[in-house]
Amino acid sequence: MNERGVKEDQASYDDKLVNKVARRLIPFLAICYFASYLDRVNLSFAATEMTRDLHFSSQVYGWGAGIFFLGYALLEPPSNYMLHILGARIWISRIMLSWGIISGLAALTRNEASFYILRFLLGAAEAGFMPGIILYLTYWIPPQKRARILADFLFAVPLATVLGAPISSYLLIATEGVMGLRGWQWLFILEAIPPVLLGFIAFFFLTDRPREASWLSLIERARLEDLTREWRGAPVEQSLFLALTNCRAVTLGAAYFGVVLALYGLSMWLPQMVEAHGVSPGSAGYVTATPFIVGASAMYVWGRHSDWRGERVWHVVLASLVAATGLISAALAPNFVLTMLALSFAAAGIFAVLPPFWTFVSDSFFGGEAAIAIALVNAIGNLAGFVGPYLVGWIKGSGGSYALALIALALGPLFCAGLMLIAKNQSLRAGN
């Protein structure tokens, strides 16, 4: 067999190996992320009844929706450090068990103080889950295959709204008054059960590194270690300061801030935006799902296109411009149907950003530095999870409209697009 044939056979073997790993890990991790994201945004479905019962203003709701991300961002880097040291099976299990318990306790919210405290603690408990999974997958998936694999994992984000919206709407209605509790209280309790159960399962199901995978042959373990060898770098302790002061990590974190601003500003307020057009709370969840179905489809296709072209930055830039265009168009739309069409366009751009963006991030850092740098990018970006919902609440509470809020959110993806071009130049100067 000639050299070309040998290379083709090796490439085919590697593809099958990566697909085998993906079939093992991605469905379970996606289900875990589904539960994670649903516990973040179920507040948006409970919002109408909850704020009415507890007499919360738009500003109070916006602050509470966003304060989750202060606790989340604060503990991201140390949480990823612990995952790097202790391994995914222990640390992911801990994260899921603690966030599930605290999410259920949200049913006990009685006033503004308890609302803020529980939301902050929920963010602190969940800190490190998403960047931890991104880091974990770099131990298993070679760089040239990551965008499509990350797209499959991140598919859980829009799916959590597509499926979570009707589920949450049904639970709000079906459980109203059961055992003297309101529907929104049961929503928090019932949707806290899956992460607790998944936390126990994760401890026994996950494998920390390829060399420990009993479900792979010895040859497969060795090949996978070779394909991902760049991650066997310096210990994380030696790289901590470098990672926290890395200009590229800060730039990418700021870029992610822009897209997260739009993501959470929209997702945490979309049910109320829909209800403002006269849709009932029970039906709002079903209508809300539409943009996220489009977003999920776009993310799936765009992630694979990014791998096929072997390009990341321009895929992020173009998707960001689509997101901004959709948000601005929704703000200017003359009727509800056109507004939802424009928001679907915006969601397509927002979610399409994620796979190529996180592939670019994971390709930008190596060895122990990656554990902290990836978490730092996510921590900086997720501060927008606080700013976005609060910004919309502040605009509404100050007499503004949802249209004005959408225009404000559109600035985020534009900011992301500009910073990605800067990050690309930083990579070129660094020789990467």
Side-chain angles (χ1 to χ4, degrees):
M1 183 179 294
N2 59 34
E3 182 178 349
R4 180 178 178 182
V6 171
K7 289 182 178 179
E8 288 177 349
D9 285 348
Q10 185 65 67
S12 176
Y13 177 82
D14 291 346
D15 284 341
K16 291 178 181 178
L17 178 56
V18 170
N19 289 336
K20 182 177 180 178
V21 171
R23 287 194 300 271
R24 164 80 182 194
L25 297 179
I26 296 302
F28 179 74
L29 294 174
I31 290 171
C32 291
Y33 197 31
F34 176 95
S36 161
Y37 194 82
L38 186 60
D39 278 354
R40 292 187 196 183
V41 302
N42 59 10
L43 176 65
S44 66
F45 302 110
T48 299
E49 301 298 330
M50 183 182 183
T51 54
R52 184 182 301 138
D53 288 350
L54 302 178
H55 308 290
F56 289 169
S57 66
S58 295
Q59 290 95 327
V60 169
Y61 170 75
W63 181 269
I67 203 172
F68 166 96
F69 294 95
L70 295 183
Y72 186 83
L74 181 66
L75 296 178
E76 286 270 76
S79 182
N80 242 31
Y81 170 83
M82 295 303 297
L83 184 144
H84 188 77
I85 298 301
L86 297 178
R89 59 191 297 266
I90 292 176
W91 200 245
I92 294 300
S93 298
R94 193 285 306 163
I95 290 174
M96 298 186 70
L97 288 169
S98 58
W99 106 52
I101 292 169
I102 294 172
S103 180
L105 291 175
L108 302 178
T109 303
R110 290 291 180 269
N111 50 41
E112 292 179 22
S114 60
F115 181 45
Y116 295 153
I117 290 171
L118 286 167
R119 288 291 295 176
F120 180 87
L121 291 177
L122 181 62
E126 194 186 321
F129 178 78
M130 190 270 193
I133 298 300
I134 298 294
L135 176 67
Y136 178 61
L137 289 176
T138 64
Y139 302 151
W140 296 87
I141 308 298
Q144 64 272 23
K145 310 290 185 182
R146 283 184 197 148
R148 68 177 179 87
I149 301 298
L150 287 177
D152 293 342
F153 166 64
L154 294 169
F155 193 79
V157 176
L159 189 65
T161 302
V162 171
L163 297 182
I167 291 172
S168 298
S169 295
Y170 172 78
L171 290 176
L172 284 171
I173 297 171
T175 61
E176 178 61 35
V178 175
M179 298 177 63
L181 298 178
R182 297 301 308 275
W184 63 265
Q185 292 175 299
W186 278 114
L187 178 65
F188 289 129
I189 294 170
L190 294 176
E191 291 187 352
I193 295 174
V196 173
L197 296 177
L198 289 167
F200 283 110
I201 296 172
F203 182 79
F204 299 99
F205 182 81
L206 294 179
T207 306
D208 287 336
R209 298 281 184 146
R211 60 178 174 268
E212 301 166 4
S214 59
W215 43 275
L216 293 175
S217 69
L218 290 176
I219 294 175
E220 289 172 330
R221 295 179 215 175
R223 180 56 183 166
L224 206 56
E225 286 277 313
D226 185 55
L227 288 172
T228 57
R229 64 184 177 274
E230 77 262 24
W231 293 98
R232 297 197 297 272
V236 69
E237 295 89 342
Q238 298 176 16
S239 305
L240 178 60
F241 177 76
L242 291 176
L244 290 174
T245 56
N246 187 296
C247 290
R248 198 187 315 170
V250 174
T251 302
L252 289 170
Y256 192 47
F257 182 99
V259 73
V260 172
L261 183 81
L263 173 62
Y264 283 106
L266 184 61
S267 62
M268 296 303 290
W269 281 95
L270 186 55
Q272 294 184 71
M273 292 181 186
V274 170
E275 290 171 28
H277 285 274
V279 180
S280 68
S283 301
Y286 298 94
V287 178
T288 298
T290 303
F292 294 91
I293 293 173
V294 177
S297 303
M299 182 170 66
Y300 182 86
V301 172
W302 203 235
R304 278 157 174 74
H305 189 268
S306 177
D307 269 354
W308 178 62
R309 294 297 301 270
E311 198 285 325
R312 313 304 179 189
V313 172
W314 284 107
H315 279 75
V316 175
V317 170
L318 291 175
S320 297
L321 294 177
V322 168
T325 301
L327 290 168
I328 294 171
S329 299
L332 302 176
N335 57 58
F336 180 60
V337 173
L338 291 177
T339 296
M340 293 306 297
L341 286 174
L343 288 177
S344 297
F345 192 71
I350 291 170
F351 287 108
V353 165
L354 301 179
F357 175 82
W358 280 111
T359 302
F360 183 79
V361 171
S362 65
D363 289 349
S364 297
F365 307 100
F366 304 94
E369 181 186 26
I372 305 301
I374 291 174
L376 181 63
V377 171
N378 199 56
I380 295 172
N382 272 285
L383 289 173
F386 167 77
V387 177
Y390 183 73
L391 176 64
V392 177
W394 178 78
I395 291 172
K396 280 292 294 177
S398 300
S401 64
Y402 283 127
L404 182 59
L406 290 172
I407 292 174
L409 293 179
L411 297 176
L414 293 175
F415 186 62
C416 175
L419 287 178
M420 282 303 296
L421 295 177
I422 293 175
K424 180 180 181 180
N425 290 332
Q426 289 174 334
S427 298
L428 291 173
R429 288 196 298 271
N432 293 329

